[in-house]
Amino acid sequence: GAVVSQHPSRVICKSGTSVKIECRSLDFQATTMFWYRQFPKQSLMLMATSNEGSKATYEQGVEKDKFLINHASLTLSTLTVTSAHPEDSSFYICSASSGPYGYTFGSGTRLTVV
Amino acid sequence: RKEVEQDPGPFNVPEGATVAFNCTYSNSASQSFFWYRQDCRKEPKLLMSVYSSGNEDGRFTAQLNRASQYISLLIRDSKLSDSATYLCVVGNAGNMLTFGGGTRLMVKP
């Protein structure tokens, strides 16, 4: 079946540094990938839609200059959290559409900013 | 009002019980409907898609009522391994998914 690989699974960084999260579709091409954030005991919230070869579309309230998204190929999208702060600590998950009504999720990245 | 609403629970049920979850959505133009299961600190995994005709997969039955904008999930003969959070997910134009807040299920021996 369709597999989305997400790395790293866990990262701890110091406040003010940047963190890059990678999301790869391993056996299919993903024109569009989605980035979600999930705070403890809350549901997934869509942050942005990543489109191969073009600029990402950000949801209201998500700072595009803070959460940089690059989707340079049909199999790779990256999310970079710039100048991370403790309030950015969260569970970040990517997903890609793997066919009609099929969405595959990455395994998620737990970011802790200290 | 949230786009997709679910009772957060938790639902505490004994093994073997039948449990039902409900979900309502606000966008009448929604096109696709799913139930996902999410274990603690893990990514969501697709449990089943939901169709107007209703669909069943083993102990799980999902139903969609477009007129009432209502989705349900029925789990029969609950197992300990069914303990998880169940997410109602609605898809709109452009493959955009909106997640409900999730319903937590705890199955006890």
Side-chain angles (χ1 to χ4, degrees):
Chain A
V3 176
V4 172
S5 174
Q6 184 172 346
H7 294 281
S9 58
R10 187 183 297 267
V11 58
I12 300 172
C13 71
K14 290 185 177 180
S15 188
T17 61
S18 295
V19 174
K20 180 186 281 189
I21 303 170
E22 288 191 352
C23 184
R24 292 180 185 272
S25 57
L26 296 187
D27 47 5
F28 66 100
Q29 294 182 331
T31 306
T32 304
M33 288 189 179
F34 305 90
W35 287 95
Y36 296 86
R37 180 167 53 183
Q38 185 177 33
F39 291 108
K41 298 190 179 182
Q42 295 187 28
S43 190
L44 280 74
M45 295 297 293
L46 180 65
M47 297 176 66
T49 302
S50 165
N51 301 298
E52 187 268 336
S54 64
K55 291 183 179 180
T57 304
Y58 290 81
E59 295 300 298
Q60 192 172 11
V62 179
E63 299 174 57
K64 62 180 181 181
D65 294 330
K66 181 171 181 64
F67 298 99
L68 301 179
I69 290 174
N70 185 286
H71 194 156
S73 77
L74 287 171
T75 59
L76 174 64
S77 177
T78 61
L79 167 68
T80 301
V81 183
T82 63
S83 188
H85 292 288
E87 57 264 32
D88 297 325
S89 298
S90 187
F91 191 47
Y92 293 85
I93 309 177
C94 65
S95 80
S97 176
S98 50
Y101 306 128
Y103 300 91
T104 301
F105 286 82
S107 54
T109 298
R110 190 160 298 282
L111 171 63
T112 303
V113 184
V114 298
Chain B
R1 183 187 171 190
K2 291 181 182 176
E3 280 194 56
V4 181
E5 292 208 60
Q6 295 180 249
D7 180 343
F11 284 60
N12 295 298
V13 303
E15 268 188 292
T18 295
V19 62
F21 303 141
N22 302 321
C23 168
T24 56
Y25 61 96
S26 60
N27 186 349
S28 59
S30 297
Q31 300 175 347
S32 51
F33 310 89
F34 312 90
W35 283 102
Y36 276 76
R37 169 194 170 129
Q38 186 176 26
D39 292 289
C40 189
R41 295 175 173 259
K42 300 278 189 178
E43 77 277 18
K45 292 187 184 294
L46 180 65
L47 182 64
M48 57 199 308
S49 301
V50 190
Y51 306 110
S52 297
S53 54
N55 46 307
E56 185 175 312
D57 183 2
R59 298 181 293 109
F60 300 85
T61 301
Q63 298 243 312
L64 166 65
N65 184 321
R66 282 188 180 269
S68 302
Q69 295 178 202
Y70 169 96
I71 307 160
S72 66
L73 176 68
L74 183 77
I75 305 176
R76 289 179 297 277
D77 188 22
S78 300
K79 311 290 185 191
L80 294 176
S81 56
D82 293 334
S83 297
T85 296
Y86 290 83
L87 302 169
C88 174
V89 184
V90 174
N92 300 312
N95 290 331
M96 305 285 285
L97 296 183
T98 301
F99 287 77
T103 299
R104 191 170 168 214
L105 171 66
M106 304 273 292
V107 181
K108 301 189 182 293

